Amino acid sequence: MSTFKLGVLVSGGGTNLQAIIDSINSKKLNAEIAVVISSRKDAFALKRARKHNIPEFYIGPDDYESPAEYEKAMIKVLQRYKVDLVVLAGFMKVLTSEFIEAFRNRIMNIHPSLIPSFCGRGFYGKKVHKAALDYGVKVTGVTVHFVDEGTDTGPIILQEAVPVMEDDTVDTLAERVLKVEHRLYPEAIKLFIEGRLRIEGRKVKILK
Ligand code: GRF
């Protein structure tokens, strides 16, 4: 059987991309990153891909007439590289149904809170942690979920709680949450590759 192929979509620093690369290199994850696509030209994530000889592309939404054309360009590249699973890792664009249909139940996202708290439109990056701190929650966390047409609404695969400390800033909280992200994302991808995730409506069953 050929190696399971991941296509990773990024927009920023790419520490989650790095965690996936590391998991593959240390043989914890039996997969290959076939391609990395960034929505931002200057994303550090692209440099990480280059360093590991992973084909990388910048596909910028502003270079296309419509979101549909932009997504078609991404779909084309992902299909050319025969991607089995699309992994959103700090990808800042919301995908439309055209893209989701092309990879139905084969797109994962990671969100730095316990969904359904601090998620949805406008809750991305550091804004999520700011909202959690402003609200005064004692616990936040990480969610890995399948992507559907909504924003952060797809079936939840894995979640893990992360404590909020009284003296936390957005940066210290983000750092604590990221550590968990880097462990949880490869774990969720592994479950998918092993065929152990069964979607039943809103729920994801993890098979033994
Ligand atoms: C992570 O916190 C992720 O959950 C969120 O954006 C951040 C991306 O970080 N969606 P990185 O680019 O993987 O370092």
Side-chain angles (χ1 to χ4, degrees):
M1 227 175 78
S2 62
T3 317
F4 192 95
K5 290 182 170 56
L6 306 173
V8 185
L9 269 47
V10 296
S11 303
T15 63
N16 277 290
L17 168 67
Q18 190 65 53
I20 297 164
I21 293 172
D22 294 345
S23 298
I24 292 171
N25 287 347
S26 63
K27 308 247 184 282
K28 281 186 204 141
L29 205 53
N30 186 12
E32 141 194 8
I33 300 180
V35 63
V36 169
I37 301 175
S38 174
S39 64
R40 290 200 191 140
K41 205 175 194 158
D42 59 353
F44 188 68
L46 284 175
K47 291 206 175 77
R48 295 183 193 268
R50 213 168 305 148
K51 192 171 168 214
H52 292 272
N53 296 316
I54 300 166
E56 31 93 16
F57 294 84
Y58 156 63
I59 302 181
D62 296 341
D63 297 338
Y64 294 86
E65 265 174 24
S66 64
E69 291 301 316
Y70 163 59
E71 291 185 3
K72 257 189 215 149
M74 286 201 291
I75 293 169
K76 224 167 142 184
V77 172
L78 292 165
Q79 286 176 342
R80 192 187 334 139
Y81 282 89
K82 300 192 177 353
V83 162
D84 297 300
L85 176 69
V86 178
V87 176
L88 310 187
F91 183 66
M92 295 299 193
K93 292 294 294 176
V94 175
L95 297 165
T96 73
S97 54
E98 175 132 3
F99 188 96
I100 289 154
E101 204 44 69
F103 294 96
R104 176 68 64 192
N105 295 337
R106 292 191 295 136
I107 312 169
M108 266 187 202
N109 183 43
I110 191 156
H111 186 78
S113 76
L114 292 175
I115 289 174
S117 285
F118 312 119
C119 64
R121 283 208 176 254
F123 287 97
Y124 56 86
K126 298 262 168 90
K127 290 187 182 187
V128 179
H129 302 303
K130 178 158 191 325
L133 288 175
D134 288 350
Y135 199 95
V137 291
K138 307 284 188 192
V139 173
T140 183
V142 176
T143 303
V144 181
H145 64 93
F146 283 112
V147 173
D148 66 7
E149 277 78 1
T151 307
D152 301 327
T153 54
I156 291 170
I157 301 165
L158 291 176
Q159 286 190 302
E160 191 170 309
V162 175
V164 179
M165 305 302 179
E166 267 175 24
D167 59 353
D168 260 337
T169 61
V170 165
D171 287 330
T172 58
L173 182 57
E175 198 185 318
R176 194 174 312 113
V177 170
L178 268 175
K179 271 198 190 133
V180 176
E181 292 187 44
H182 298 159
R183 180 165 41 75
L184 220 60
Y185 218 178
E187 208 178 305
I189 296 167
K190 186 169 191 279
L191 288 170
F192 186 94
I193 294 172
E194 291 171 350
R196 291 173 59 198
L197 299 178
R198 192 199 291 156
I199 303 176
E200 293 179 0
R202 271 216 53 78
K203 293 177 189 163
V204 178
K205 262 201 183 147
I206 300 178
L207 309 176
K208 295 267 176 236

